[in-house]
Amino acid sequence: MQYRYLTFSPLLLCLMTCSGCASSGEHPVASRHSPDGDARASAAEGGHGLPELPGASGSSGSEGRYGLLPAQVKQVLTGLGCSLDDTAKARVLYVPGPDGRQDVMVTDNSGSAYHYWLRSFAGSNDTTGYLLQLKGCPASTVGMRAYIAHGNSAPQDVTASVLTQSALPDAATMATYAAAGVSELFAVIEQLNTGPVMRWIAEPDPDRPIAEDARTVDYGNFVHGGFLVWENDRFTFHWTIPAAMWPCRRYPTIPCGHDPFVKGP
């Protein structure tokens, strides 16, 4: 079977540890509800991670220019087990952050041959969030992982808490999708070059259409997994978000015409 962004892999079931759980209550940005230790050690051993970058396109979409790694990013990656020398170059994109601070998105190679990918998020009270994936630098992660650092302290892995408050499809749901020819969930990072929001989707086999359900997008051409948003000093899961946070782009991964999870003007 052919997918536009990745092919099905056995990693599908091990990624899904949350059985449709979500945080209680509402958040001012959007509803979070749906229908269904050590930094180096966490990078190497990891446990269950967040749905990963797509295998076929990898870290594409990072844009930016090749240059030296920002010192803070190099420190984080080195602390997680990457081997980087002083001349190491990466594709670096600077993104305006809050209060005049700058976020950054980096990858050593734009595409499927990357060894590391990282996006930072400036927050309040000298807090910084990180989403990253390592693929043999020589360290590797299980899926994508989320970290939060306070001041000059080492980043702490918060992946497990993100999974706990998310409403990703559970293993049984994903197994049903897989039987119908749907890929595993993967991360869509195309909005991270302007704002602090990422999305998870899965993709049916184009030759095996699936019936529309509570998670389908674009008339069954995609399956929605949810949004991950950096909000001030933490990562939060959202089932829907305002259109202003997910603006329609030219050549988007997901067409803008029939997306019930992007609300309002």
Side-chain angles (χ1 to χ4, degrees), residues 196-219:
V197 57
M198 184 183 70
R199 187 175 193 173
W200 291 304
I201 60 173
E203 189 175 18
D205 183 341
D207 297 326
R208 297 176 61 187
I210 63 171
E212 293 187 59
D213 62 23
R215 286 185 177 270
T216 51
V217 182
D218 189 36
Y219 304 102

Side-chain angles (χ1 to χ4, degrees), residues 2 6 19 46 65 80 95 111 131 145 147 153 188 193 200 214-215 223 255:
Q2 296 293 321
L6 76 169
S19 300
R65 296 182 178 181
L80 292 171
V95 182
L131 289 175
R145 304 202 71 81
Y147 293 82
S153 63
V188 177
N193 60 2
W200 291 304
R215 286 185 177 270
V223 174

Side-chain angles (χ1 to χ4, degrees), residues 67-71 73-75 77-78 82-90 116 137-138:
L68 294 177
L69 272 173
V73 172
K74 182 180 177 183
Q75 182 179 5
L77 292 174
T78 300
C82 287
S83 296
L84 305 169
D85 58 40
D86 291 336
T87 62
K89 291 189 176 182
Y116 60 81
C137 59

